[in-house]
Amino acid sequence: ISFTVEFNSYGHAMQGFFASLLATPVVLKWLAKVSGGRFKGVFQLAPFVLTIYPTYNLIKRFVKSRDAFAGSSFANNGFE
């Protein structure tokens, strides 16, 4: 079961949502405008920071459990 009613499931879903949302130029431009341009660099860096853990998890699970990758936490987190 990929999505369960627990903190980790909601956390992974929100992480993916914000990474996707912040990766769009329209949202970045709007956030920069709203903040007066003060946090432009933070907003531009945020989608990349939010993808560090999934990338690490992909590599770790592929190396450690290549034979059972479909049942690993990466596959589970990806569906969330």
Side-chain angles (χ1 to χ4, degrees), residues 61-76:
R61 295 298 171 191
F62 189 69
V63 169
K64 285 188 173 185
S65 57
R66 184 174 297 186
D67 297 333
F69 184 72
S72 70
S73 69
F74 180 80
N76 186 29

PDB file of all heavy atoms in Angstrom, residues 61-76:
ATOM      1  N   ARG A  61      18.356   2.535  -2.590  1.00  0.00           N
ATOM      2  CA  ARG A  61      17.493   1.363  -2.759  1.00  0.00           C
ATOM      3  C   ARG A  61      17.887   0.543  -3.976  1.00  0.00           C
ATOM      4  O   ARG A  61      17.772  -0.676  -3.974  1.00  0.00           O
ATOM      5  CB  ARG A  61      16.024   1.771  -2.857  1.00  0.00           C
ATOM      6  CG  ARG A  61      15.506   2.380  -1.597  1.00  0.00           C
ATOM      7  CD  ARG A  61      15.560   1.401  -0.456  1.00  0.00           C
ATOM      8  NE  ARG A  61      15.254   2.088   0.783  1.00  0.00           N
ATOM      9  CZ  ARG A  61      15.427   1.571   1.970  1.00  0.00           C
ATOM     10  NH1 ARG A  61      15.910   0.368   2.112  1.00  0.00           N
ATOM     11  NH2 ARG A  61      15.131   2.250   3.044  1.00  0.00           N
ATOM     12  N   PHE A  62      18.350   1.193  -5.032  1.00  0.00           N
ATOM     13  CA  PHE A  62      18.758   0.444  -6.217  1.00  0.00           C
ATOM     14  C   PHE A  62      20.005  -0.374  -5.932  1.00  0.00           C
ATOM     15  O   PHE A  62      20.129  -1.506  -6.371  1.00  0.00           O
ATOM     16  CB  PHE A  62      18.998   1.388  -7.397  1.00  0.00           C
ATOM     17  CG  PHE A  62      19.198   0.667  -8.688  1.00  0.00           C
ATOM     18  CD1 PHE A  62      18.144  -0.002  -9.296  1.00  0.00           C
ATOM     19  CD2 PHE A  62      20.433   0.629  -9.290  1.00  0.00           C
ATOM     20  CE1 PHE A  62      18.324  -0.683 -10.484  1.00  0.00           C
ATOM     21  CE2 PHE A  62      20.632  -0.050 -10.484  1.00  0.00           C
ATOM     22  CZ  PHE A  62      19.565  -0.710 -11.084  1.00  0.00           C
ATOM     23  N   VAL A  63      20.932   0.188  -5.150  1.00  0.00           N
ATOM     24  CA  VAL A  63      22.168  -0.529  -4.827  1.00  0.00           C
ATOM     25  C   VAL A  63      21.902  -1.643  -3.818  1.00  0.00           C
ATOM     26  O   VAL A  63      22.367  -2.770  -3.987  1.00  0.00           O
ATOM     27  CB  VAL A  63      23.234   0.456  -4.288  1.00  0.00           C
ATOM     28  CG1 VAL A  63      24.412  -0.283  -3.695  1.00  0.00           C
ATOM     29  CG2 VAL A  63      23.692   1.384  -5.403  1.00  0.00           C
ATOM     30  N   LYS A  64      21.129  -1.340  -2.773  1.00  0.00           N
ATOM     31  CA  LYS A  64      20.919  -2.319  -1.698  1.00  0.00           C
ATOM     32  C   LYS A  64      19.909  -3.401  -2.045  1.00  0.00           C
ATOM     33  O   LYS A  64      20.043  -4.535  -1.590  1.00  0.00           O
ATOM     34  CB  LYS A  64      20.461  -1.606  -0.426  1.00  0.00           C
ATOM     35  CG  LYS A  64      21.557  -0.866   0.275  1.00  0.00           C
ATOM     36  CD  LYS A  64      21.070  -0.352   1.611  1.00  0.00           C
ATOM     37  CE  LYS A  64      22.207   0.248   2.392  1.00  0.00           C
ATOM     38  NZ  LYS A  64      21.797   0.657   3.729  1.00  0.00           N
ATOM     39  N   SER A  65      18.872  -3.056  -2.777  1.00  0.00           N
ATOM     40  CA  SER A  65      17.820  -4.055  -3.026  1.00  0.00           C
ATOM     41  C   SER A  65      17.415  -4.071  -4.491  1.00  0.00           C
ATOM     42  O   SER A  65      16.261  -3.879  -4.835  1.00  0.00           O
ATOM     43  CB  SER A  65      16.608  -3.767  -2.142  1.00  0.00           C
ATOM     44  OG  SER A  65      16.125  -2.466  -2.371  1.00  0.00           O
ATOM     45  N   ARG A  66      18.394  -4.303  -5.325  1.00  0.00           N
ATOM     46  CA  ARG A  66      18.152  -4.318  -6.772  1.00  0.00           C
ATOM     47  C   ARG A  66      17.106  -5.368  -7.154  1.00  0.00           C
ATOM     48  O   ARG A  66      16.268  -5.130  -8.010  1.00  0.00           O
ATOM     49  CB  ARG A  66      19.465  -4.578  -7.492  1.00  0.00           C
ATOM     50  CG  ARG A  66      19.361  -4.510  -8.990  1.00  0.00           C
ATOM     51  CD  ARG A  66      20.694  -4.637  -9.620  1.00  0.00           C
ATOM     52  NE  ARG A  66      21.510  -3.504  -9.195  1.00  0.00           N
ATOM     53  CZ  ARG A  66      22.712  -3.240  -9.641  1.00  0.00           C
ATOM     54  NH1 ARG A  66      23.260  -4.031 -10.515  1.00  0.00           N
ATOM     55  NH2 ARG A  66      23.384  -2.204  -9.204  1.00  0.00           N
ATOM     56  N   ASP A  67      17.155  -6.530  -6.513  1.00  0.00           N
ATOM     57  CA  ASP A  67      16.234  -7.609  -6.870  1.00  0.00           C
ATOM     58  C   ASP A  67      14.797  -7.328  -6.442  1.00  0.00           C
ATOM     59  O   ASP A  67      13.860  -7.807  -7.066  1.00  0.00           O
ATOM     60  CB  ASP A  67      16.690  -8.928  -6.248  1.00  0.00           C
ATOM     61  CG  ASP A  67      18.044  -9.367  -6.788  1.00  0.00           C
ATOM     62  OD1 ASP A  67      18.375  -8.989  -7.929  1.00  0.00           O
ATOM     63  OD2 ASP A  67      18.766 -10.078  -6.064  1.00  0.00           O
ATOM     64  N   ALA A  68      14.636  -6.569  -5.379  1.00  0.00           N
ATOM     65  CA  ALA A  68      13.294  -6.278  -4.863  1.00  0.00           C
ATOM     66  C   ALA A  68      12.986  -4.783  -4.934  1.00  0.00           C
ATOM     67  O   ALA A  68      12.296  -4.242  -4.079  1.00  0.00           O
ATOM     68  CB  ALA A  68      13.191  -6.769  -3.419  1.00  0.00           C
ATOM     69  N   PHE A  69      13.476  -4.119  -5.970  1.00  0.00           N
ATOM     70  CA  PHE A  69      13.336  -2.663  -6.062  1.00  0.00           C
ATOM     71  C   PHE A  69      11.872  -2.217  -6.093  1.00  0.00           C
ATOM     72  O   PHE A  69      11.514  -1.200  -5.509  1.00  0.00           O
ATOM     73  CB  PHE A  69      14.075  -2.140  -7.295  1.00  0.00           C
ATOM     74  CG  PHE A  69      14.067  -0.650  -7.399  1.00  0.00           C
ATOM     75  CD1 PHE A  69      14.830   0.131  -6.554  1.00  0.00           C
ATOM     76  CD2 PHE A  69      13.293  -0.023  -8.359  1.00  0.00           C
ATOM     77  CE1 PHE A  69      14.836   1.496  -6.642  1.00  0.00           C
ATOM     78  CE2 PHE A  69      13.290   1.361  -8.462  1.00  0.00           C
ATOM     79  CZ  PHE A  69      14.058   2.120  -7.605  1.00  0.00           C
ATOM     80  N   ALA A  70      11.020  -2.963  -6.762  1.00  0.00           N
ATOM     81  CA  ALA A  70       9.611  -2.567  -6.867  1.00  0.00           C
ATOM     82  C   ALA A  70       8.917  -2.521  -5.509  1.00  0.00           C
ATOM     83  O   ALA A  70       7.969  -1.771  -5.321  1.00  0.00           O
ATOM     84  CB  ALA A  70       8.868  -3.514  -7.794  1.00  0.00           C
ATOM     85  N   GLY A  71       9.397  -3.288  -4.559  1.00  0.00           N
ATOM     86  CA  GLY A  71       8.803  -3.287  -3.227  1.00  0.00           C
ATOM     87  C   GLY A  71       9.553  -2.440  -2.228  1.00  0.00           C
ATOM     88  O   GLY A  71       9.247  -2.444  -1.045  1.00  0.00           O
ATOM     89  N   SER A  72      10.527  -1.674  -2.686  1.00  0.00           N
ATOM     90  CA  SER A  72      11.351  -0.883  -1.777  1.00  0.00           C
ATOM     91  C   SER A  72      10.656   0.412  -1.375  1.00  0.00           C
ATOM     92  O   SER A  72       9.611   0.775  -1.910  1.00  0.00           O
ATOM     93  CB  SER A  72      12.694  -0.554  -2.439  1.00  0.00           C
ATOM     94  OG  SER A  72      12.502   0.365  -3.488  1.00  0.00           O
ATOM     95  N   SER A  73      11.259   1.114  -0.445  1.00  0.00           N
ATOM     96  CA  SER A  73      10.667   2.367   0.022  1.00  0.00           C
ATOM     97  C   SER A  73      10.659   3.421  -1.075  1.00  0.00           C
ATOM     98  O   SER A  73       9.801   4.291  -1.085  1.00  0.00           O
ATOM     99  CB  SER A  73      11.406   2.892   1.248  1.00  0.00           C
ATOM    100  OG  SER A  73      12.707   3.321   0.906  1.00  0.00           O
ATOM    101  N   PHE A  74      11.586   3.351  -2.025  1.00  0.00           N
ATOM    102  CA  PHE A  74      11.574   4.343  -3.113  1.00  0.00           C
ATOM    103  C   PHE A  74      10.315   4.190  -3.951  1.00  0.00           C
ATOM    104  O   PHE A  74       9.647   5.166  -4.283  1.00  0.00           O
ATOM    105  CB  PHE A  74      12.810   4.228  -4.010  1.00  0.00           C
ATOM    106  CG  PHE A  74      12.776   5.234  -5.112  1.00  0.00           C
ATOM    107  CD1 PHE A  74      13.144   6.541  -4.868  1.00  0.00           C
ATOM    108  CD2 PHE A  74      12.356   4.896  -6.374  1.00  0.00           C
ATOM    109  CE1 PHE A  74      13.095   7.494  -5.870  1.00  0.00           C
ATOM    110  CE2 PHE A  74      12.300   5.828  -7.379  1.00  0.00           C
ATOM    111  CZ  PHE A  74      12.673   7.138  -7.121  1.00  0.00           C
ATOM    112  N   ALA A  75       9.982   2.957  -4.303  1.00  0.00           N
ATOM    113  CA  ALA A  75       8.762   2.733  -5.072  1.00  0.00           C
ATOM    114  C   ALA A  75       7.548   3.184  -4.281  1.00  0.00           C
ATOM    115  O   ALA A  75       6.636   3.822  -4.823  1.00  0.00           O
ATOM    116  CB  ALA A  75       8.649   1.257  -5.458  1.00  0.00           C
ATOM    117  N   ASN A  76       7.539   2.877  -3.000  1.00  0.00           N
ATOM    118  CA  ASN A  76       6.441   3.305  -2.144  1.00  0.00           C
ATOM    119  C   ASN A  76       6.356   4.827  -2.090  1.00  0.00           C
ATOM    120  O   ASN A  76       5.286   5.411  -2.259  1.00  0.00           O
ATOM    121  CB  ASN A  76       6.641   2.722  -0.740  1.00  0.00           C
ATOM    122  CG  ASN A  76       5.472   2.993   0.158  1.00  0.00           C
ATOM    123  OD1 ASN A  76       4.340   3.118  -0.295  1.00  0.00           O
ATOM    124  ND2 ASN A  76       5.717   3.090   1.445  1.00  0.00           N
TER     125      ASN A  76
END
